[in-house]
Amino acid sequence: MEHYTKIIMKDNIIKYWIQFTIFSALIIIFVSSCGFYKPVDARKVSPKASERVKANIEKGEGFRVKNLLNKKSGDFDFATSNALWRAALDVLDFAPLSNVDYSGGLIITDWFNEKKNKKNSLKITVRFLSNEIRADGLDIILHK
């Protein structure tokens, strides 16, 4: 009985070894076909890591985790204390606000009625096109 157990254990070891070898070969084939390894001429590549990183990012072949973590929402950013933003909110304080997006530069009021004319409803949309205080820095749409 002891001899039979040794044969079964030996067969299991051989079976697992064959599976491991096949699995390893497949992994090597798949990884090497992905193009991770590219032969490089040492005369053309800088020995400084910072220069290689900068060159790869300029080519579009790499990224920095630092840039991913500091990514802000949208392309338009206001200054920390935008006087035009505060003035627009002060002017629109009579209307209920439905959407206010400081980072995107957008103020949208909800539909409201004038006290004199209850039949007409109004809605105001203010888009900030610039950080500067100028007349063309705002786009105001009045919906009636």
Side-chain angles (χ1 to χ4, degrees):
M1 186 77 167
E2 186 176 310
H3 179 62
Y4 181 71
T5 308
K6 287 182 181 179
I7 292 173
I8 292 176
M9 288 178 60
K10 188 175 179 183
D11 287 344
N12 285 339
I13 291 172
I14 292 172
K15 184 172 86 173
Y16 289 128
W17 180 253
I18 291 171
Q19 289 176 351
F20 175 75
T21 306
I22 291 172
F23 180 73
S24 300
L26 288 174
I27 292 294
I28 290 170
I29 289 170
F30 285 127
V31 170
S32 65
S33 66
C34 290
F36 288 124
Y37 176 73
K38 295 178 186 176
V40 178
D41 186 5
R43 295 172 290 189
K44 295 179 181 177
V45 177
S46 173
K48 295 181 181 179
S50 60
E51 292 177 5
R52 290 192 311 263
V53 167
K54 185 177 178 183
N56 283 337
I57 290 175
E58 287 173 357
K59 290 181 200 174
E61 294 179 353
F63 65 93
R64 287 184 177 231
V65 175
K66 177 181 167 184
N67 293 346
L68 293 176
L69 296 176
N70 292 336
K71 189 172 183 177
K72 297 177 182 170
S73 62
D75 293 338
F76 187 80
D77 291 322
F78 277 118
T80 54
S81 60
N82 191 328
L84 197 57
W85 176 265
R86 286 182 283 136
L89 287 176
D90 287 342
V91 168
L92 294 173
D93 69 345
F94 65 92
L97 301 175
S98 69
N99 188 3
V100 179
D101 184 11
Y102 183 75
S103 64
L106 183 69
I107 300 173
I108 301 174
T109 66
D110 204 1
W111 290 98
F112 63 94
N113 293 328
E114 297 176 354
K115 291 182 181 178
K116 295 178 183 176
N117 191 355
K118 299 277 185 184
K119 293 182 181 180
N120 290 335
S121 294
L122 299 173
K123 180 178 184 176
I124 302 171
T125 302
V126 180
R127 292 187 321 166
F128 292 83
L129 305 175
S130 173
N131 245 351
E132 301 171 9
I133 300 175
R134 1 181 271 207
D136 61 346
L138 290 175
D139 181 27
I140 301 172
I141 302 168
L142 181 65
H143 307 277
K144 187 175 180 182

